[in-house]
Amino acid sequence: MARRPGAPAAYGEEFSFVSPLVKYLLFFFNMLFWVISMVMVAVGVYARLMKHAAALACLAVDPAILLIVVGVLMFLLTFCGCIGSLRENICLLQTFSLCLTIVFLLQLAAGILGFVFSDKARGKVSELINNAIVHYRDDLDLQNLIDFGQKKFSCCGGISYRDWSQNMYFNCSEDNPSRERCSVPYSCCLPTPNQAVINTMCGQGMQALDYLEASKVIYTNGCIDKLVNWIHSNLFLLGGVALGLAIPQLVGILLSQVLVNQIKDQIKLQLYNQQHRADPWY
């Protein structure tokens, strides 16, 4: 039958604007992070169940709880991406794209604010380290974390080794009955070559010594300055990590928007074919 003059040519019934490459690439992209989110939740739940009530109480947020929350949010977000791409659901895909955009913008804003208000960020880090010193003996994981940090950065305490007097066990007051009175943790001690057994009492009485005498046995510089210097000397590494986090988010946003536009074009094509199927001039 003749086609009405000026009417656009119809595509075949088997034609689709939706690219299988984009569709399944987005699906497997979300599937990967969906599995990662489940692992994060499992690790967070396990860590939370295995820890005592006082676990890392000095930190603003318990890392186990943070891991669970981030994992659950990632699970829901990637679920929308998986089902939305597989079922070609515009609502789920737009929800996925919008949430991913918000997360990306929040990360970008946090990075900019951290750079602009670096002094306040430094003060917050100082407060966090001092709280960790106070609760050093309250939790084994926190203790291991502090010991690792002090050995890694060759430092002791927040500003100096005498910050350990804030801890009730290392406090230098005369009425402190602790055997560790006026001492520092063993992780503050200078490494001894060819030492077979770690001397955990090497920091005994170090706070009572002046800087020159103490520096012969322990690190006397605080960890805050060491950490800041490490950040300044590893800006390219930190930038690479930030870029590595941003690229998957941008890829997810781009793929979801491309797929949404393809689905919309496909819907328009289907409506066009339905409207002209009964047209005698079509």
Side-chain angles (χ1 to χ4, degrees), residues 35-101:
V35 173
I36 293 175
S37 69
M38 289 192 291
V39 173
M40 291 174 61
V41 172
V43 172
V45 170
Y46 174 79
R48 186 61 182 170
L49 293 176
M50 294 298 292
K51 298 184 72 62
H52 300 291
L56 302 183
C58 66
L59 300 181
V61 180
D62 189 329
I65 297 296
L66 183 62
L67 202 61
I68 294 172
V69 172
V70 172
V72 169
L73 292 177
M74 186 186 295
F75 177 88
L76 295 175
L77 187 59
T78 52
F79 178 81
C80 290
C82 281
I83 303 301
S85 59
L86 197 61
R87 303 297 298 174
E88 300 180 9
N89 188 297
I90 293 179
C91 181
L92 289 177
L93 287 173
Q94 287 182 332
T95 300
F96 168 77
S97 179
L98 177 61
C99 292
L100 208 56
T101 302

Side-chain angles (χ1 to χ4, degrees), residues 83-188:
I83 303 301
S85 59
L86 197 61
R87 303 297 298 174
E88 300 180 9
N89 188 297
I90 293 179
C91 181
L92 289 177
L93 287 173
Q94 287 182 332
T95 300
F96 168 77
S97 179
L98 177 61
C99 292
L100 208 56
T101 302
I102 293 174
V103 170
F104 174 77
L105 293 177
L106 288 176
Q107 291 176 345
L108 184 62
I112 294 174
L113 290 176
F115 180 78
V116 173
F117 299 102
S118 56
D119 291 338
K120 290 186 178 181
R122 180 190 176 95
K124 188 63 179 178
V125 171
S126 177
E127 179 185 346
L128 193 64
I129 291 177
N130 288 332
N131 287 336
I133 289 175
V134 172
H135 295 277
Y136 176 75
R137 290 297 190 199
D138 296 346
D139 180 71
L140 182 60
D141 290 339
L142 175 63
Q143 182 175 313
N144 292 334
L145 179 63
I146 294 175
D147 288 336
F148 171 80
Q150 292 190 144
K151 288 187 288 187
K152 173 69 176 178
F153 295 108
S154 303
C155 59
C156 187
I159 298 176
S160 76
Y161 65 101
R162 285 180 175 155
D163 289 339
W164 281 102
S165 193
Q166 300 177 62
N167 185 281
M168 60 182 297
Y169 298 99
F170 299 105
N171 190 275
C172 286
S173 59
E174 294 292 339
D175 57 347
N176 183 8
S178 173
R179 291 192 304 170
E180 296 178 310
R181 175 181 171 274
C182 231
S183 301
V184 295
Y186 78 94
S187 54
C188 289

Side-chain angles (χ1 to χ4, degrees), residues 190-211:
L190 297 174
T192 302
N194 303 322
Q195 186 179 30
V197 180
I198 298 176
N199 179 14
T200 58
M201 302 301 291
C202 59
Q204 193 74 23
M206 287 297 110
Q207 292 187 61
L209 303 179
D210 59 28
Y211 278 85

Side-chain angles (χ1 to χ4, degrees), residues 259-276:
L259 186 56
V260 165
N261 290 332
Q262 290 180 348
I263 294 172
K264 288 181 178 179
D265 289 339
Q266 181 65 21
I267 292 174
K268 291 179 181 178
L269 174 62
Q270 292 174 349
L271 291 175
Y272 177 85
N273 288 338
Q274 289 175 1
Q275 290 173 357
H276 292 79

Side-chain angles (χ1 to χ4, degrees), residues 247-264:
I247 288 178
Q249 297 173 16
L250 294 175
V251 169
I253 295 171
L254 177 63
L255 288 177
S256 61
Q257 287 302 314
V258 169
L259 186 56
V260 165
N261 290 332
Q262 290 180 348
I263 294 172
K264 288 181 178 179

